Amino acid sequence: MSSLNLFPSDEDELRKSLSELVDDKFGASAKKVTRIVDSSNPFLDIPQALNAITYKHGVLTRKTHADMDGKRTPRGRRGWKKFYAVLKGTILYLQKDEYKPDKDLSEVDLKNAIRVHHALATKASDYSKKSNVLKLKTADWRVFLFQAPSKEEMLSWILRINLVAAIFSAPAFPAAICSMKKFCRPLLPSSMTKLCQEEQLSLKSKEAEEYRLKEHYLIFEKSRYETYINLLCMKIKVGTDDLERIETSFFKVEADDIALRKTHSSPSLSQGHMSVSCKVEKDIIEQNT
């Protein structure tokens, strides 16, 4: 059976089209681009304009927790390292030296860079050894922990990474041709199995593990999309690209949300309580009607 990898000519064409896409989007002055190379896969080797907008920069201390596909990082590579982080476009650069807008990126900076497309940043609530730690899970399921200098900085990094991911992450590629686009419950035969008990046990154990992995994936994806929706609704409601104003509005809504839950301890009130995203969506709908 032939491999699913692209032929060299197809790969070259794709790389060319990606470069042209960047040129068209940012103009002739942005033709100076850099590539963050993970492998020979052209879908991962995407050009990044060097004059992309900088959304945040500051000191972060990084710990690599899991490599691609969630495989635990070997102990020798899990140490904490301090960087000057720069969220520029959809790339989080981790630089050795302090951020300077006109400074060219070094090979080390490119090596440490992390894409945030389709990523999700959350508070690392399950990590108690350090304070003000956020968890970043990337599209290829790598996991990084970052310690910020303060709680406010941690929350700001979480919001801005997720907002950039929500705004700029392209739609996912369509499923394979043989995959169902709409979920349907499988047909369950009423006939008795011809497998022996040992074979039944082996089969059901394998299926249980597959469902566990699928559940883990779907729960994470649900959380990621709810976060993106929440932030996009907030940005539209505020009606500005000013990140400071967006942060202020978001944290105010969150504070009001927490205060409401603490005040209303009655079960009937709790059941009628709206989430932050629902309240924001409701406000937008009311504004448009």
Side-chain angles (χ1 to χ4, degrees):
M1 183 178 292
S2 61
S3 171
L4 291 178
N5 292 333
L6 295 173
F7 293 105
S9 58
D10 294 333
E11 182 173 330
D12 292 340
E13 284 299 313
L14 180 58
R15 291 180 188 277
K16 180 181 177 182
S17 65
L18 287 171
S19 297
E20 289 172 350
L21 178 63
V22 171
D23 292 346
D24 291 341
K25 185 174 180 181
F26 295 98
S29 61
K31 287 191 176 181
K32 187 180 181 183
V33 298
T34 184
R35 294 181 182 273
I36 314 299
V37 181
D38 283 342
S39 68
S40 60
N41 188 336
F43 292 103
L44 298 180
D45 181 15
I46 297 175
Q48 169 71 38
L50 293 182
N51 66 342
I53 296 173
T54 298
Y55 294 97
K56 188 171 178 66
H57 57 87
V59 175
L60 287 176
T61 306
R62 183 206 68 189
K63 176 185 176 74
T64 304
H65 182 74
D67 296 331
M68 192 177 295
D69 295 326
K71 295 179 181 178
R72 189 70 186 272
T73 301
R75 186 176 295 275
R77 296 197 290 110
R78 285 189 229 153
W80 288 92
K81 293 183 180 180
K82 183 176 286 188
F83 292 96
Y84 203 90
V86 182
L87 180 58
K88 192 172 185 180
T90 58
I91 306 287
L92 179 63
Y93 296 99
L94 300 174
Q95 303 177 186
K96 293 288 186 181
D97 302 320
E98 188 171 343
Y99 170 65
K100 295 179 181 178
D102 299 328
K103 181 184 175 183
D104 289 335
L105 295 165
S106 67
E107 289 187 12
V108 176
D109 295 336
L110 296 177
K111 182 180 178 181
N112 290 323
I114 301 170
R115 291 187 188 82
V116 300
H117 68 287
H118 292 285
L120 181 65
T122 58
K123 183 179 178 181
S125 54
D126 55 346
Y127 188 85
S128 58
K129 294 182 180 180
K130 292 179 180 287
S131 58
N132 308 321
V133 176
L134 66 96
K135 179 190 293 184
L136 177 64
K137 192 167 188 175
T138 64
D140 57 5
W141 280 47
R142 289 184 294 165
V143 178
F144 301 93
L145 299 180
F146 290 99
Q147 184 183 32
S150 65
K151 180 180 178 181
E152 292 74 21
E153 275 294 287
M154 176 194 71
L155 294 174
S156 178
W157 276 108
I158 290 173
L159 184 143
R160 297 194 186 203
I161 289 172
N162 288 337
L163 187 59
V164 167
I167 294 172
F168 298 113
S169 292
F173 290 118
I177 295 173
C178 61
S179 300
M180 293 182 297
K181 292 187 177 181
K182 183 179 180 180
F183 173 76
C184 295
R185 288 186 294 109
L187 294 175
L188 302 175
S190 59
S191 59
M192 294 181 66
T193 182
K194 295 182 179 180
L195 300 175
C196 68
Q197 291 184 18
E198 288 75 14
E199 290 172 326
Q200 275 281 73
L201 174 61
S202 176
L203 178 64
K204 292 187 185 301
S205 297
K206 180 181 178 182
E207 288 182 341
E209 175 62 13
E210 288 179 350
Y211 277 116
R212 187 191 67 79
L213 294 173
K214 186 182 291 186
E215 178 188 35
H216 177 63
Y217 170 75
L218 292 176
I219 289 173
F220 175 77
E221 288 296 279
K222 180 174 179 289
S223 174
R224 182 169 70 87
Y225 276 101
E226 285 176 345
T227 300
Y228 289 0
I229 291 168
N230 191 354
L231 290 171
L232 289 172
C233 286
M234 174 60 71
K235 185 178 184 299
I236 293 171
K237 180 175 182 287
V238 177
T240 180
D241 290 329
D242 188 335
L243 292 177
E244 297 291 341
R245 287 180 58 190
I246 294 172
E247 278 188 14
T248 301
S249 298
F250 181 80
F251 294 142
K252 181 179 184 302
V253 172
E254 275 209 331
D256 292 344
D257 186 57
I258 293 171
L260 186 64
R261 271 181 285 173
K262 288 182 178 179
T263 304
H264 295 159
S265 57
S266 165
S268 60
L269 289 172
S270 298
Q271 290 170 2
H273 168 65
M274 290 193 299
S275 66
V276 173
S277 59
C278 288
K279 288 195 294 184
V280 174
E281 288 178 85
K282 182 174 179 290
D283 290 340
I284 294 173
I285 292 169
E286 289 176 349
Q287 287 179 356
N288 293 334
T289 56

